Amino acid sequence: HLVEKIQRVYESENRQMGVHPEKTVLYSCIMKNFIVFDLEWNQNPGGKEASVERLPFEIFEIGAVKLNEEREKVAEFHRIIRPCVYRQMHRIISEVTHVSIEELERDGEPFAAVMEDFLKWCGEDCIFCTWGSMDLTELQRNMVYHGMTIPFPKPFLFYDVQKLYSLCYQDGKARISLDEAVETFALDVDAPFHRALGDAEYTGRVMRAMDFESVKDYVSVDYYMPPESEDEEFTLRFPEYTKFVSRMFETKEEAMEEKRVTDVVCTKCRRMLRKKIRWFSSGQRYYLCLAACPEHGLMKGKIRMKKSEDGRIFAVKTVKPVDEEGAEAVYQKKEEARIRRAEKSRQKKLHGME
C-alpha cells in the first residue's frame, strides 16, 4: 500500500511538471520475505519435436528457502512431483540430478496439490528470487497446463540473483554458474548441486554473501504474461536506464508503428527527445536509435521484440545515456545495416535477371 501511495504521488508530480506521461512501476522490498526457489524438470527424451505443445519442461521438484529482510533463513520447502507427461527421464537430466522415474512415481505428489501448498507457504507479502530467469516462466507454464489460475501480479517482478551477482562482481552481462559463485565466496557445500532444495539454499547463501544493497534496485521482469492493453504497459526506472514493456501486437511492424513504443524519453528529466538516428533494424529482433537531450546528452534506444505464448509480439524498450564512443557504435551498426540491405537488394535484382 505504501508503494501504491508513492506511485500516485509520483504520477501526480509528473503531470504537474508537464513531463512525458508514463506508468512507472516503483518497487520496494520493505517488509517482505524473500522466497528463494529452484526447480528441477524433465523433458521428452525424444527431443523437442516430440515434446508436448507449450510444456517443454515438466517440473518434478520444487525447493525453496524463505529469508527475512536481513536475508536470514527462516523456513524451507521441499516437495517431489509425480510426472504425468514425460514418463521417462531424459538421459542428461538423470545424470545431472541422479533422479529416477521410479523415485518420482514412489515419492511424488500431484503438481496442483504441491503448488497450492507452495503458494500458501510463500505467503502474500514476498519477493521471488531465482538463479537465472527461467524458473518463474516454467513454473507458470506448468500451472497453465494443469489448469491452475496464475495468481501473480502484472507486472511480475523478481530478483534474478545470477544477474545481480554479475552486476556486483562482473560486467553485468556475464553469467556464471551457481556452483562457481558458491566457490568464489568459499561457502559451505553440504548438499548436492542440481537438486531443488540444495540449489535454493545455495542461492540464498550467495544473496547473503554478496553486496545485495548495492544492486537491490535492479529487479527483473518475468515476461510470461505480457501486458494485454495500453493500461497494462509500464516503465521501470533504474539508476542508469529505463525499461518500457509494451502491450502485444500481431507483428513487429505493427509494434513499431505505435508511438509509445518508438518515443525516446530522457532517463533523467523525462522530456521527449529528438532523434539523431531514427530507429533502424539491427538483426531480426532488435532495433536501435540515438537521441539527444539538450541537458543530459546522448541517449541510446534499443527495442527487443519478444514473442508471447500465443505467438503475438511485444516490445521491450530500453533507453540509457551513452558517451561519444557508444554513439559511434550506433552509427557503425546503422552503416552495417545499410550495407546488408543494399547487398540483399542487389541479390534480389540479380535473381530477377536470371
Side-chain angles (χ1 to χ4, degrees), residues 264 271-278 290-294 298-299:
V264 180
R271 76 175 76 189
M272 188 78 69
L273 303 183
R274 182 184 298 274
K275 299 180 185 69
K276 294 175 68 69
I277 298 179
R278 295 183 178 276
L290 190 69
C293 175
L298 297 171
M299 299 281 164

Side-chain angles (χ1 to χ4, degrees), residues 33 35 64 66 117-126 128:
N33 290 314
I35 302 298
K66 184 180 292 186
D117 289 347
F118 176 59
L119 293 174
K120 183 177 180 180
W121 176 83
C122 290
E124 295 183 1
D125 203 16
C126 66
F128 286 102

Side-chain angles (χ1 to χ4, degrees), residues 204-339:
R205 292 178 186 178
V206 170
M207 283 184 67
R208 289 193 293 275
M210 68 189 297
D211 184 10
F212 180 78
E213 290 297 314
S214 69
V215 292
K216 66 180 181 181
D217 291 336
Y218 293 93
V219 293
S220 293
V221 183
D222 178 78
Y223 295 118
Y224 184 80
M225 297 188 298
E228 289 281 355
S229 65
E230 186 175 315
D231 288 341
E232 291 185 353
E233 294 177 336
F234 63 92
T235 298
L236 290 170
R237 303 186 66 84
F238 298 97
E240 292 90 17
Y241 65 96
T242 60
K243 176 182 288 188
F244 167 80
V245 181
S246 80
R247 66 186 185 279
M248 291 180 279
F249 300 89
E250 295 300 322
T251 65
K252 61 182 180 181
E253 291 77 15
E254 183 183 346
M256 291 302 293
E257 292 174 359
E258 173 57 51
K259 191 174 183 295
R260 288 166 63 86
V261 173
T262 57
D263 281 346
V264 180
V265 178
C266 179
T267 61
K268 297 180 179 179
C269 65
R270 304 195 295 281
R271 76 175 76 189
M272 188 78 69
L273 303 183
R274 182 184 298 274
K275 299 180 185 69
K276 294 175 68 69
I277 298 179
R278 295 183 178 276
W279 291 103
F280 65 93
S281 176
S282 179
Q284 293 185 339
R285 295 186 178 182
Y286 294 88
Y287 294 84
L288 296 174
C289 83
L290 190 69
C293 175
E295 183 178 354
H296 300 106
L298 297 171
M299 299 281 164
K300 172 186 173 182
K302 181 176 183 179
I303 293 175
R304 292 177 293 158
M305 292 297 175
K306 291 183 170 289
K307 187 173 288 188
S308 65
E309 289 290 294
D310 63 7
R312 287 182 289 172
I313 300 295
F314 63 98
V316 178
K317 175 180 63 181
T318 56
V319 177
K320 66 177 181 179
V322 291
D323 55 17
E324 291 295 335
E325 183 179 351
E328 180 59 33
V330 177
Y331 278 107
Q332 185 62 38
K333 286 184 180 295
K334 183 184 179 183
E335 180 63 15
E336 292 171 358
R338 185 192 66 78
I339 294 172

Side-chain angles (χ1 to χ4, degrees), residues 23-147:
K23 178 183 177 182
T24 304
V25 176
L26 301 179
Y27 193 65
S28 171
C29 57
I30 298 173
M31 298 300 291
K32 291 186 177 182
N33 290 314
F34 299 95
I35 302 298
V36 188
F37 82 98
D38 185 78
L39 306 173
E40 300 298 335
W41 52 62
N42 190 22
Q43 63 190 84
N44 196 307
K48 184 177 180 179
E49 295 76 13
S51 296
V52 173
E53 186 178 8
R54 297 192 183 178
L55 192 72
F57 307 111
E58 181 179 22
I59 297 168
F60 64 78
E61 186 177 33
I62 297 179
V65 294
K66 184 180 292 186
L67 309 181
N68 61 19
E69 297 171 62
E70 305 300 322
R71 286 168 284 132
E72 300 166 332
K73 179 180 174 181
V74 295
E76 67 179 42
F77 180 97
H78 179 242
R79 299 283 274 278
I80 298 293
I81 296 166
R82 186 181 306 118
C84 64
V85 178
Y86 304 125
R87 309 301 288 271
Q88 291 182 316
M89 292 294 290
H90 191 283
R91 177 181 58 83
I92 295 178
I93 292 174
S94 181
E95 291 174 357
V96 170
T97 63
H98 304 289
V99 174
S100 67
I101 281 292
E102 291 74 22
E103 178 185 349
L104 300 181
E105 295 282 0
R106 182 186 69 244
D107 301 332
E109 302 172 66
F111 175 85
V114 172
M115 271 306 303
E116 288 175 1
D117 289 347
F118 176 59
L119 293 174
K120 183 177 180 180
W121 176 83
C122 290
E124 295 183 1
D125 203 16
C126 66
I127 304 169
F128 286 102
C129 309
T130 63
W131 188 265
S133 59
M134 286 185 64
D135 290 77
L136 281 173
T137 295
E138 297 308 325
L139 185 70
Q140 292 169 92
R141 281 199 178 118
N142 277 253
M143 291 177 71
V144 169
Y145 180 85
H146 288 276

Side-chain angles (χ1 to χ4, degrees), residues 182-183 185-191 193 198 201-202 205:
V182 168
E183 182 179 358
F185 286 123
L187 302 176
D188 292 337
V189 178
D190 48 19
F193 286 98
E201 176 69 38
Y202 291 133
R205 292 178 186 178

